[in-house]
């Protein structure tokens, strides 16, 4: 799976950064989702962003509404989710890590000096993956403003079969 840029801006409605339908899966496999993009708050004030990861109808992971300070530069972000079929297709273990940097250049900045936000999460779900389910990564802002946005520049999905 891959996409063109998905842009979320000027809204307080939860919206997909990425979404795809995953057809019936094998027992004891892992789906690893890699996503990356930019985040901008150039509103002149603080804006909160809430991120959620969903498997089927279940919101497996959700951040608090985290405030991003205003600035003219886009922050870079990267998120990796592992969806593990644990003991069959109806039981999932999900882990994730989301990183954002203050670095604005396209170079590979040292995260220890530029890391602004890091989320690490773990949870379980009990979706029946014997049938197709939608996997989604969403964002919801606390303020609607044309100068606040989150962009998913692309994503890929790996299937790792045990």
């Amino acid at each position: 799976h891959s996409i063109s840029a998905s842009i979320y801006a000027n809204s307080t409605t939860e919206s997909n950064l990425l979404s795809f339908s995953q057809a019936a899966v094998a027992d004891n496999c892992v789906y690893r989702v890699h996503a990356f993009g930019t985040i901008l708050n150039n509103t002149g004030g603080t804006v909160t962003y809430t991120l959620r990861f969903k498997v089927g109808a279940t919101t497996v992971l959700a951040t608090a509404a985290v405030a991003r300070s205003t600035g003219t530069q886009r922050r870079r972000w990267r998120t990796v989710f592992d969806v593990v079929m644990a003991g069959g297709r109806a039981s999932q273990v999900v882990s994730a890590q989301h990183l954002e940097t203050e670095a604005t250049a396209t170079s590979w900045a040292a995260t220890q000096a530029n890391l602004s936000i890091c989320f690490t999460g773990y949870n379980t779900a009990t979706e029946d993956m014997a049938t197709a389910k939608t996997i989604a990564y969403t964002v919801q802002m606390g303020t609607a403003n044309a100068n606040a946005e989150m962009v998913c520049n692309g994503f890929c999905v790996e299937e790792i079969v045990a």
Side-chain angles (χ1 to χ4, degrees):
H1 303 275
S2 64
I3 61 165
S4 306
S6 172
I7 301 171
Y8 173 80
N10 200 22
S11 178
T12 58
T13 303
E14 181 181 16
S15 184
N16 291 335
L17 287 169
L18 68 85
S19 176
F20 62 93
S21 180
Q22 184 58 56
V25 302
D27 288 338
N28 301 316
C29 71
V30 176
Y31 286 91
R32 181 165 293 150
V33 181
H34 303 264
F36 63 94
T38 62
I39 190 166
L40 175 69
N41 173 19
N42 190 18
T43 64
T46 300
V47 174
T48 61
Y49 294 73
T50 302
L51 303 174
R52 295 178 184 93
F53 184 73
K54 301 178 179 193
V55 176
T58 305
T59 298
V60 184
L61 295 169
T63 68
V66 176
R68 271 69 168 196
S69 59
T70 191
T72 59
Q73 302 296 321
R74 292 181 180 280
R75 295 178 174 114
R76 308 297 190 236
W77 64 265
R78 182 173 190 272
T79 305
V80 177
F81 296 96
D82 288 328
V83 181
V84 180
M85 301 309 130
R89 292 179 281 193
S91 177
Q92 299 85 44
V93 175
V94 177
S95 68
Q97 187 169 53
H98 172 90
L99 302 170
E100 287 178 30
T101 70
E102 293 292 336
T104 57
T106 55
S107 64
W108 199 352
T111 52
Q112 65 193 35
N114 295 303
L115 185 64
S116 62
I117 295 176
C118 174
F119 297 113
T120 301
Y122 171 88
N123 204 352
T124 59
T126 54
E127 292 285 338
D128 182 2
M129 299 294 286
T131 59
K133 295 289 183 281
T134 298
I135 309 259
Y137 189 32
T138 70
V139 62
Q140 185 172 11
M141 292 189 299
T143 304
N145 188 301
N147 293 314
E149 66 181 33
M150 189 163 180
V151 177
C152 180
N153 291 111
F155 75 93
C156 68
V157 179
E158 291 179 81
E159 179 181 23
I160 304 165
V161 179

